[in-house]
Amino acid sequence: VSGLAIDDLDKQAIEAFRQKWVAKTGRKEYFSFDDEKVLKNTGLVDAGGITFAGLILVGKEESLRKWLPDAEIIFEWRNDPQQTHYDFRKNWRAPFVSIDDDIWNTINARNLRIPFQEGFFQREIWAFDEKSIREAVHNAVMHRDYSIKGRSVFIKASPREFLIESPGGFPPGITLENVLSEKQWRNRVL
């Protein structure tokens, strides 16, 4: 991102990213890396400077507003999916590393417990499974087309539906016919 500097990145988000990196790899020595080394080793900074991935994952809110104003996630809850107005709405435009848990917590606050009988015991399942929902949100952020202006990632939920809209179609070379067999990165570092 031309003109973006280390001061445009959120220190707390970088630390949260470091924590996740260590947890994923099990390499505790990464705790001793300074911020710049963490960013370089993960591709968030390269020879050209801070990458768009770096901005999306750990950029300050004001930096996102300036360089990627459409990097926003909007959650809308409707008690009835057919109604036009929403019953609850929340927007996020902040380093994704910092808002990931808040997105899930906001969705989970509206989660529905579905009880069922299994022999002698009553069990429960939840309408929104955390692992599936987080994967879907991550895919929406990581695979969206950030060159499309004026559109945000939308999460629309109700007691009966859950929908995520992410700007952009298939990447070049991917079609309905080959989507299961072909691989193409849109935002490889993300």
Side-chain angles (χ1 to χ4, degrees):
V1 181
S2 180
L4 195 62
I6 292 290
D7 289 342
D8 293 307
L9 304 180
D10 185 297
K11 287 256 186 219
Q12 289 178 323
I14 294 170
E15 185 53 36
F17 182 77
R18 182 190 336 266
Q19 297 279 339
K20 290 178 187 294
W21 189 34
V22 169
K24 179 175 174 43
T25 63
R27 310 257 324 252
K28 294 188 189 287
E29 66 269 21
Y30 293 166
F31 282 127
S32 67
F33 290 9
D34 64 22
D35 290 352
E36 191 170 335
K37 188 169 183 177
V38 168
L39 297 170
K40 283 183 179 175
N41 284 2
T42 56
L44 303 185
V45 170
D46 63 18
I50 298 166
T51 64
F52 278 101
L55 176 60
I56 292 162
L57 293 176
V58 297
K60 290 179 180 174
E61 183 177 346
E62 52 272 17
S63 303
L64 284 161
R65 285 187 188 283
K66 180 177 179 180
W67 280 285
L68 266 182
D70 300 313
E72 173 184 48
I73 301 166
I74 300 169
F75 173 76
E76 293 181 346
W77 173 265
R78 288 173 172 77
N79 290 323
D80 178 350
Q82 303 305 316
Q83 70 190 36
T84 304
H85 69 279
Y86 52 82
D87 296 297
F88 176 84
R89 179 179 170 125
K90 186 164 183 178
N91 298 30
W92 294 273
R93 185 182 289 114
F96 186 71
V97 168
S98 300
I99 62 173
D100 185 31
D101 288 335
D102 190 41
I103 293 169
W104 164 247
N105 292 335
T106 300
I107 293 167
N108 194 37
R110 282 142 195 87
N111 212 344
L112 302 172
R113 177 186 162 273
I114 304 165
F116 67 95
Q117 198 70 33
E118 188 174 65
F120 184 71
F121 298 99
Q122 186 177 68
R123 306 257 187 225
E124 62 187 28
I125 59 173
W126 293 91
F128 307 137
D129 170 68
E130 180 177 3
K131 184 176 180 182
S132 301
I133 296 298
R134 282 186 183 267
E135 178 69 15
V137 171
H138 292 176
N139 283 337
V141 171
M142 305 311 160
H143 298 296
R144 76 163 282 180
D145 184 345
Y146 285 92
S147 69
I148 296 175
K149 303 297 179 209
R151 296 200 38 219
S152 302
V153 170
F154 263 92
I155 304 168
K156 298 177 181 179
S158 75
R160 294 186 302 278
E161 294 181 358
F162 192 89
L163 173 71
I164 298 179
E165 298 174 358
S166 181
F170 290 130
I174 303 296
T175 65
L176 279 175
E177 291 75 30
N178 70 12
V179 68
L180 296 177
S181 61
E182 293 294 319
K183 304 291 183 243
Q184 176 74 305
W185 297 98
R186 186 187 314 268
N187 304 307
R188 186 173 177 97
V189 175
L190 285 175

